[in-house]
Amino acid sequence: MKFCASIPVKITLLGEHAVVYGEPAIASTIPRTIEMCIDVLEDKRIEVVSKGVYVELNRASFDRTSSRVSYSLNTDMLRKIFSYIVSGIELCEEFLSISKRGYSITIDSDLPVGVGLGTSAAISVGIVALCLTVNGYSPDEQGFLENVARLAWSTEKKVQGAASPMDTFTITFGGLRYIEPRAPLAHEIVSPTELPVLIGYTPKRMTTAELVARVRELISRYSDVGEFVIKGIGQLVQIARRCIEKGDLECLGVCMNANHSLLSLLNIVAPETDIIISTLRHAGALGAKMSGAGGGGAFIALARSFDELQNLARLVKNLGGEVVATRLGSEGIRIFRIA
Ligand code: MEV
């Protein structure tokens, strides 16, 4: 029996980095997805085929009896994707208390990997949900999504060493979420108006793990300043939640701008991101900030209305950035059975 899943990626509106230290964050899925499918194999191999515009057609295979791995192309990208797949399957089998099996997995994505849109988290959520489903845990059963979110978070921690639950919980449940990382919980935020946002990115020069380590080093060296920044971001997130719930876009924009300034103090904002952000603000965006780990990568701008987004998108393209979405998403992971 074959199962497939459509898994959205996400954007952080406020709170990245501080969420690693226990502060709340606000994130949302966006209407762009990664498609994944799973089938059980007769032998104990894990075979992954990934294709897409940014991820070339690649094949990787792991023999679970001999522990031999082979790659059609030994790229960093494929090795990285493969480590999330193998770890997710191991955690799923451990959770279900079942013995090792073989699986064939396909991944289809036209999204850039590693720019702050949560592609690694999406792959972790996807593999855990599909592995649970193909082994008999129905997505309709109570607690299914909670278990997917927790196991996908554990997958990210196992591969990366450290990760907050923000990306995996947002992607699992979908929509606009207030993340309490210590619980961990992802509360839905209900806004009276749809938020006119533009989400884009430029190439990223450092990995999330390197940027998280850079912030940790800075905070341990200057602990008073570090605490000021981290706690300040946490407070802005709480204010921003109230602004969203009241439909006060101006107030949300001010919080986003202030959050960007605090992130700048952590020395993780790339100059090209700063140029795009200040241009968007001068062009009328109510708020604009880097999003994700920094070092280039994703950014988000809030416009006064959906009509103004076209102009902002044109400016982003003129400055060499790519636009990935002009609204937030409402859905989390969706799983369906094929034949
Ligand atoms: C990465 O998308 C966001 C960070 O806060 C890391 C994390 O939450 O694990 C930088």
Side-chain angles (χ1 to χ4, degrees), residues 10 16-17 19-20 163-164 166-167 208 212 292-293:
K10 52 70 59 180
E16 52 274 272
H17 285 289
V19 71
V20 174
S164 80
M166 174 174 67
D167 292 8
T208 297
V212 168

Side-chain angles (χ1 to χ4, degrees), residues 81-230:
I81 290 173
F82 200 59
S83 54
Y84 286 99
I85 297 286
V86 173
S87 299
I89 287 175
E90 284 170 355
L91 287 164
C92 150
E93 289 174 340
E94 213 174 284
F95 172 80
L96 294 173
S97 306
I98 56 170
S99 51
K100 291 178 182 172
R101 300 179 84 179
Y103 303 92
S104 156
I105 292 126
T106 57
I107 306 172
D108 204 338
S109 165
D110 66 353
L111 289 159
V113 176
V115 299
L117 296 174
T119 43
S120 313
I123 288 170
S124 304
V125 169
I127 190 58
V128 163
L130 287 171
C131 169
L132 292 176
T133 310
V134 84
N135 284 301
Y137 189 168
S138 164
D140 298 330
E141 273 180 62
Q142 191 155 17
F144 178 84
L145 286 182
E146 284 73 14
N147 283 316
V148 168
R150 280 179 181 272
L151 289 168
W153 179 31
S154 301
T155 304
E156 279 219 308
K157 285 189 285 188
K158 195 169 165 183
V159 176
Q160 294 167 202
S164 80
M166 174 174 67
D167 292 8
T168 41
F169 275 62
T170 303
I171 287 169
T172 304
F173 296 104
L176 187 58
R177 299 272 160 183
Y178 178 85
I179 309 294
E180 274 187 76
R182 290 196 200 276
L185 283 169
H187 306 274
E188 190 181 359
I189 306 178
V190 181
S191 167
T193 47
E194 200 183 339
L195 303 179
V197 291
L198 175 142
I199 293 136
Y201 71 93
T202 56
K204 200 167 116 169
R205 288 188 296 264
M206 287 171 81
T207 66
T208 297
E210 285 165 348
L211 289 151
V212 168
R214 178 191 275 206
V215 169
R216 190 171 296 285
E217 207 264 321
L218 192 100
I219 287 175
S220 65
R221 204 139 40 99
Y222 301 103
S223 55
D224 292 349
V225 180
E227 193 177 316
F228 166 79
V229 173
I230 298 299

Side-chain angles (χ1 to χ4, degrees), residues 242-318:
R242 292 195 289 274
C243 307
I244 297 172
E245 285 170 342
K246 281 191 280 181
D248 188 341
L249 296 185
E250 273 188 35
C251 162
L252 174 61
V254 170
C255 291
M256 288 168 67
N257 290 340
N259 190 169
H260 181 79
S261 298
L262 288 180
L263 288 166
S264 297
L265 298 177
L266 297 176
N267 199 19
I268 49 166
V269 183
E272 61 272 22
T273 310
D274 259 333
I275 290 169
I276 291 178
I277 280 164
S278 63
T279 307
L280 294 177
R281 286 185 197 159
H282 278 105
L286 293 173
K289 64 179 277 293
M290 60 150 271
S291 177
F299 54 84
I300 177 164
L302 177 73
R304 227 170 252 286
S305 70
F306 278 92
D307 290 344
E308 289 179 23
L309 289 176
Q310 239 177 348
N311 182 37
L312 299 185
R314 198 174 40 78
L315 290 172
V316 166
K317 285 179 203 150
N318 287 347

Side-chain angles (χ1 to χ4, degrees), residues 44-46 60-70 82:
K44 290 189 179 169
R45 269 179 314 117
I46 296 177
S61 182
F62 174 51
D63 186 328
R64 304 186 84 184
T65 319
S66 64
S67 291
R68 259 198 45 225
V69 189
S70 62
F82 200 59

